[in-house]
């Protein structure tokens, strides 16, 4: 019996994660897709080669392994197509390069990922693109910032490190009315908890390094687009010669299979620890949008159906207290990135921002809550807070 097209796509999220992108009957019944190591692809005859009339022509344009991952992401996103790139940062830079030209105006959210800001202030500036950073809380008032040459409005919700929630539907409405496209870095929530294209976003960006891979050992980005934008995105991706290895695509696809259950654990533990932290001495503020105390909680509850496992806290003191807190941790590692099985912590630096991040009463510490036992993580944080207080 043939598999019914679209059957898995209508199932629950964990069913789609378990089965999306690959049908075992396509390859002798093996549960996982084969890893295709390839550069050259042979053609059966000169006519086929001249017409490029076979599915695969050269590995930079895809292999069965990378296509399986792209199909799985499309099923999650509801996108017309997905391309794979070697890192999460490349997933940001490629669509910006694809849709911006010299003289265009880009509205970039001020709470974006720090390396996104660096790209805007260096490469895009050199290419003659006007970049304007805007308040993440602007909502529909973004209309006042849109210019005749505004080509792209870039969003990231929650904001990187400080977790501001943006009113994505309101921003989309104003941007589309001005014929601008909307991009969103949706790495924190993933399409499990926020399907950005369903809210009108044109291009959805993810660091697959994080939750999809899930084990802190793969670098990859995914870029998914709606029907209107995919052709332009795909052409730029091809022109830039970007591709990922079959091994890495296989590992991310394997990570997808368990991403739903992993994210449930990340989210549950993170929210419980965030609530506990609100009552702790030495903690000034907890920046988690799932908390009722968070300024963006109403928008979060309206639009999101779950949370990621990363949030920040503001502690009393200064740099010395922040370093004492971090140095006292034994389970939390000190490292960048997140989305893996292990808990991580770092001292956030917000000095490059133009609008946000200037009014916190102490150092901002970002916590990635991993899959360890919650009681052990709480005990580790208690040691950190005690060490900070002792300075």
């Amino acid at each position: 019996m043939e598999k019914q097209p679209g059957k898995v796509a209508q199932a629950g999220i964990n069913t789609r994660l378990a089965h999306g992108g690959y049908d075992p009957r396509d390859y002798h019944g093996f549960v996982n897709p084969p890893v295709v190591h390839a550069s050259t692809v042979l053609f059966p005859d000169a006519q086929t080669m001249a017409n490029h009339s076979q599915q695969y022509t050269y590995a930079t344009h895809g292999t069965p392994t990378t296509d399986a991952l792209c199909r799985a992401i499309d099923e999650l996103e509801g996108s017309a197509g997905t391309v794979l790139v070697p890192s999460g940062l490349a997933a940001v830079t490629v669509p910006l390069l694809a849709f911006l030209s010299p003289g265009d105006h880009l509205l970039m959210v001020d709470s974006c990922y720090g390396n996104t800001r660096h790209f805007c202030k260096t490469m895009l500036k050199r290419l003659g693109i006007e970049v304007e950073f805007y308040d993440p809380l602007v909502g529909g008032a973004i209309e006042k910032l849109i210019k005749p040459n505004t080509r792209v409005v870039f969003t990231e919700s929650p904001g990187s490190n400080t977790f501001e929630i943006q009113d994505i539907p309101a921003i989309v409405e104003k941007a589309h009315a001005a014929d601008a496209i909307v991009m969103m870095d949706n790495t924190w929530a993933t399409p499990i908890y926020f399907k950005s294209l369903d809210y009108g976003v044109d291009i959805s960006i993810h660091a697959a390094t994080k939750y999809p891979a899930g084990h802190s050992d793969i670098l990859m980005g995914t870029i998914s687009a709606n029907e209107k934008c995919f052709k332009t995105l795909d052409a730029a991706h091809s022109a830039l010669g970007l591709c990922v290895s079959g091994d890495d695509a296989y590992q991310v696809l394997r990570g997808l299979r368990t991403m739903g259950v992993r994210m449930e654990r990340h989210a549950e533990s993170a929210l419980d620890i965030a609530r506990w932290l609100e009552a702790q001495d030495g903690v000034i503020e907890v920046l988690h949008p799932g908390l009722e105390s968070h300024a963006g909680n109403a928008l979060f509850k309206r639009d999101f159906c779950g949370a990621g496992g990363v949030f920040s806290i503001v502690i009393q003191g200064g740099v010395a207290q922040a370093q004492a807190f971090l140095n006292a941790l034994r389970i939390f590692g000190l490292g960048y990135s997140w989305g893996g099985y292990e808990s991580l912590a770092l001292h956030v630096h917000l000095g490059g921002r133009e609008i946000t991040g200037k009014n916190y009463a102490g150092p901002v510490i970002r916590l990635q809550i991993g899959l360890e036992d919650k009681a052990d993580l709480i005990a580790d944080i208690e040691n950190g807070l005690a060490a900070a207080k002792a300075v």
Side-chain angles (χ1 to χ4, degrees), residues 57-113:
T57 58
Y58 195 71
T60 54
H61 304 298
T63 69
T65 314
T66 59
D67 280 356
L69 177 56
C70 288
R71 286 193 299 268
I73 298 296
D74 283 335
E75 288 183 19
L76 294 175
E77 294 275 16
S79 45
T82 291
V83 298
L84 308 178
V85 291
S87 69
L89 179 58
V92 171
T93 63
V94 168
L96 290 173
L97 291 172
F99 287 90
L100 291 168
S101 300
D104 286 344
H105 177 240
L106 163 67
L107 282 169
M108 171 61 66
V109 64
D110 190 55
S111 52
C112 64
Y113 172 47

Side-chain angles (χ1 to χ4, degrees), residues 60-224:
T60 54
H61 304 298
T63 69
T65 314
T66 59
D67 280 356
L69 177 56
C70 288
R71 286 193 299 268
I73 298 296
D74 283 335
E75 288 183 19
L76 294 175
E77 294 275 16
S79 45
T82 291
V83 298
L84 308 178
V85 291
S87 69
L89 179 58
V92 171
T93 63
V94 168
L96 290 173
L97 291 172
F99 287 90
L100 291 168
S101 300
D104 286 344
H105 177 240
L106 163 67
L107 282 169
M108 171 61 66
V109 64
D110 190 55
S111 52
C112 64
Y113 172 47
N115 285 327
T116 300
R117 178 184 302 276
H118 178 73
F119 179 76
C120 289
K121 301 190 84 168
T122 54
M123 290 290 290
L124 292 187
K125 180 179 178 181
R126 183 173 65 81
L127 293 173
I129 294 158
E130 180 186 358
V131 180
E132 180 177 354
F133 293 94
Y134 69 91
D135 188 332
L137 304 182
V138 69
I142 200 166
E143 180 180 31
K144 300 175 183 177
L145 303 177
I146 294 175
K147 301 179 179 182
N149 62 333
T150 301
R151 176 70 170 135
V152 172
V153 178
F154 194 102
T155 65
E156 182 176 341
S157 185
S160 184
N161 295 324
T162 48
F163 301 94
E164 298 88 348
I165 296 292
Q166 295 191 256
D167 190 339
I168 298 298
I171 291 171
V172 164
E173 179 186 1
K174 301 303 182 182
H176 285 175
D179 202 29
I181 68 167
V182 180
M183 301 179 184
M184 181 176 181
D185 185 335
N186 191 32
T187 300
W188 184 84
T190 81
I192 294 178
Y193 292 147
F194 185 83
K195 288 189 68 173
S196 59
L197 271 65
D198 285 358
Y199 286 82
V201 171
D202 299 291
I203 295 179
S204 180
I205 293 161
H206 292 279
T209 305
K210 310 296 197 288
Y211 292 123
H215 293 79
S216 302
D217 55 2
I218 299 291
L219 288 170
M220 192 180 295
T222 68
I223 316 163
S224 303

Side-chain angles (χ1 to χ4, degrees), residues 209-211 214-217 262 266 309-310 331-345 367-372 377:
T209 305
K210 310 296 197 288
Y211 292 123
H215 293 79
S216 302
D217 55 2
R262 284 187 285 106
H266 286 299
V310 186
I331 296 175
F332 283 81
L334 307 187
Y336 298 103
S337 196
W338 42 271
Y341 56 85
E342 78 290 8
S343 293
L344 298 170
L367 301 175
Q368 131 84 1
I369 304 302
L371 303 180
E372 302 94 341
L377 297 177

